[in-house]
Amino acid sequence: MLEKFSNWKDGFGKKKDASEELELVSIPKHVAIIMDGNGRWAKKKGLPRIAGHREGMKVINKIVRKANELGIETLTLYAFSTENWKRPKAEVDFLMRLPELFLGKELPVLMEENVKVRLMGSKENLPPHTLRAVETAITKTNENTGLILNFALNYGGRTEIIQAVQTMAKQVQEGLITYDQIDETLMADNLMTNQLPDPDLLIRTSGEIRLSNFMLWQLAYSEFWFTEVLWPDFTEIHFEEAIREYQHRGRRYGGV
Ligand code: IPE
Ligand code: IPE
Ligand code: MG
């Protein structure tokens, strides 16, 4: 039973040989990842939690390259949730330094890879140095036409929905729209993913089987793939495994 359960979490036991070439048909257009398990990775090694975050940061570059190579159009990475402010100040401070550390080193690579950086989350409360690093990357990569790298930073799905509802309510109040014009399209237009398609595939590492307030609206019909692998140990091989599993899923959207 236990084994069955762990297979389920690793993709219903449909695992194929990891070295097998991925079929380049039905590549998901948008993949979202909850990069989890940095703290546990560090703990296992007797290191402070921030060492796990530093190691986790190094994985991003590898996955971005692989995603670009496979022709994935958008990669959304959950980097910091609206709930993560509850963590000890020293850890939060370090996490808020990560965008600078990452982009300071990787921006030339992202340019080379034709990657376009985006930010999804509330800019309020972000330290100025964090926001500056991300906004510089957004500006510099603005004309790039390759993979969209969407960082969810200070992001929370419920806050996002509330903000969208407030915006639309205000438009009704001001007579710009009528209440019955509020539909799925208008809702989606008012979310932080505006213009991005919904994720086709959601990956979460570290064995946690929950959404933790991530993309609550957009994940309505996404395929989910969970793995026990901790984010700092996540490799291109695991990423391909998730995509291979995705390619064998039948998406029905309520139909037959
Ligand atoms: C994910 O790793 C990174 C962030 C949430 C910022 P965690 O820090 O949550 O690692 P665990 O879950 O404690 O192992
Ligand atoms: C979700 O992970 C947020 C990110 C990966 C950025 P958490 O580690 O914060 O989620 P919970 O607390 O285990 O649900
Ligand atoms: Mg966690």
Side-chain angles (χ1 to χ4, degrees):
M1 178 61 199
L2 248 181
E3 178 163 355
K4 217 171 161 190
F5 182 63
S6 93
N7 274 343
W8 169 68
K9 287 200 286 184
D10 278 333
F12 298 99
K14 264 196 199 167
K15 264 183 280 177
K16 299 251 166 133
D17 179 1
S19 62
E20 197 183 300
E21 277 291 310
L22 260 187
E23 293 167 44
L24 290 177
V25 289
S26 62
I27 290 287
K29 282 190 164 57
H30 185 176
V31 178
I33 308 183
I34 303 177
M35 309 181 288
D36 199 11
N38 294 349
R40 277 162 285 167
W41 181 91
K43 194 174 178 205
K44 258 176 41 184
K45 294 198 147 39
L47 297 168
R49 291 179 57 85
I50 60 167
H53 296 313
R54 192 189 292 276
E55 198 62 26
M57 184 186 82
K58 296 183 191 160
V59 177
I60 295 178
N61 189 22
K62 289 192 271 182
I63 302 307
V64 167
R65 275 175 189 267
K66 181 48 91 180
N68 220 359
E69 181 195 313
L70 293 173
I72 290 166
E73 291 170 17
T74 305
L75 181 68
T76 294
L77 300 177
Y78 204 7
F80 192 91
S81 77
T82 46
E83 287 71 35
N84 287 147
W85 296 106
K86 291 179 199 158
R87 296 186 178 203
K89 185 175 181 301
E91 183 174 346
V92 169
D93 287 349
F94 185 79
L95 288 168
M96 288 297 151
R97 286 282 167 200
L98 280 183
E100 283 157 276
L101 285 173
F102 174 75
L103 294 164
K105 188 162 164 280
E106 302 298 341
L107 193 52
V109 181
L110 297 179
M111 286 303 292
E112 212 173 281
E113 291 265 315
N114 196 22
V115 169
K116 188 178 163 89
V117 175
R118 267 184 71 147
L119 176 65
M120 178 171 88
S122 175
K123 291 182 186 178
E124 288 151 45
N125 312 327
L126 284 182
H129 62 88
T130 311
L131 193 55
R132 207 179 314 122
V134 181
E135 286 190 327
T136 303
I138 292 171
T139 310
K140 288 214 168 129
T141 61
N142 191 37
E143 303 297 317
N144 290 353
T145 53
L147 176 84
I148 294 172
L149 177 56
N150 184 32
F151 280 107
L153 194 60
N154 193 17
Y155 172 85
R158 288 187 173 180
T159 303
E160 179 188 37
I161 290 171
I162 288 168
Q163 280 179 6
V165 170
Q166 286 178 342
T167 303
M168 293 184 295
K170 191 157 173 271
Q171 288 171 349
V172 172
Q173 196 177 37
E174 290 171 353
L176 297 170
I177 56 170
T178 54
Y179 82 90
D180 53 357
Q181 280 177 286
I182 297 175
D183 58 8
E184 290 195 14
T185 308
L186 191 66
M187 179 73 184
D189 287 349
N190 280 289
L191 294 174
M192 292 167 179
T193 36
N194 169 25
Q195 308 293 325
L196 293 179
D198 290 340
D200 300 293
L201 172 63
L202 170 82
I203 295 173
R204 182 169 189 155
T205 58
S206 88
E208 307 297 356
I209 316 292
R210 56 174 170 264
L211 289 180
S212 302
N213 202 14
F214 192 47
M215 302 185 88
L216 299 178
W217 173 277
Q218 298 90 338
L219 293 172
Y221 266 108
S222 309
E223 295 297 323
F224 290 3
W225 189 83
F226 298 102
T227 177
E228 296 283 342
V229 175
L230 303 173
W231 177 251
D233 292 327
F234 193 77
T235 65
E236 297 95 324
I237 309 283
H238 300 114
F239 190 56
E240 288 198 351
E241 203 179 308
I243 292 166
R244 188 172 292 113
E245 163 68 22
Y246 167 84
Q247 290 177 327
H248 291 90
R249 301 265 181 97
R251 301 183 76 185
R252 286 189 287 281
Y253 302 97
V256 286

